[in-house]
């Protein structure tokens, strides 16, 4: 989604959201994380997982959510983020 400057792959009404810059996309992601998780005390990958993609969710018949935490840490490491 590079042409959209959309680093989070955000979708609105079925289409990728477009940002004027990568920085704007990062700011949007930060505000979203704050509103949906941080304000409720969910600060860690594991805590966010409990709400965002819980294991056993009815909309996850293939149990892919079981791999979510591991995959997030893998992508963070690839991005050079120390967690």
């Amino acid at each position: 989604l590079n042409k959209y400057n959309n680093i989070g792959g955000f979708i609105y009404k079925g289409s990728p959201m477009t940002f004027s810059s990568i920085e704007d996309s990062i700011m949007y992601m930060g505000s979203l994380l704050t509103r949906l998780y941080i304000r409720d005390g969910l600060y860690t990958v594991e805590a966010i997982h409990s709400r965002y993609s819980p294991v056993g969710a009815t909309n996850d018949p293939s149990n892919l959510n079981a791999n979510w935490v591991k995959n997030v840490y893998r992508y963070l490491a690839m991005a050079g983020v120390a967690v």
Side-chain angles (χ1 to χ4, degrees):
L1 296 174
N2 290 340
K3 71 180 182 177
Y4 302 104
N5 291 320
N6 185 342
I7 63 160
F10 299 108
I11 304 290
Y12 181 70
K13 294 185 178 181
S15 297
M17 292 175 67
T18 300
F19 296 91
S20 59
S21 67
I22 295 291
E23 291 80 9
D24 286 348
S25 180
I26 292 169
M27 293 298 292
Y28 179 79
M29 183 180 289
S31 98
L32 190 66
L33 286 169
T34 298
R35 286 183 282 122
L36 298 178
Y37 306 103
I38 305 294
R39 286 186 184 160
D40 291 337
L42 304 174
Y43 302 108
T44 66
V45 171
E46 291 80 6
I48 291 170
H49 174 249
S50 70
R51 178 177 293 169
Y52 179 75
S53 62
V55 173
T58 57
N59 66 345
D60 183 31
S62 300
N63 198 34
L64 297 175
N65 291 355
N67 298 311
W68 191 84
V69 170
K70 174 184 69 174
N71 288 332
V72 168
Y73 279 121
R74 183 169 54 97
Y75 286 115
L76 288 171
M78 288 170 46
V81 176
V83 181

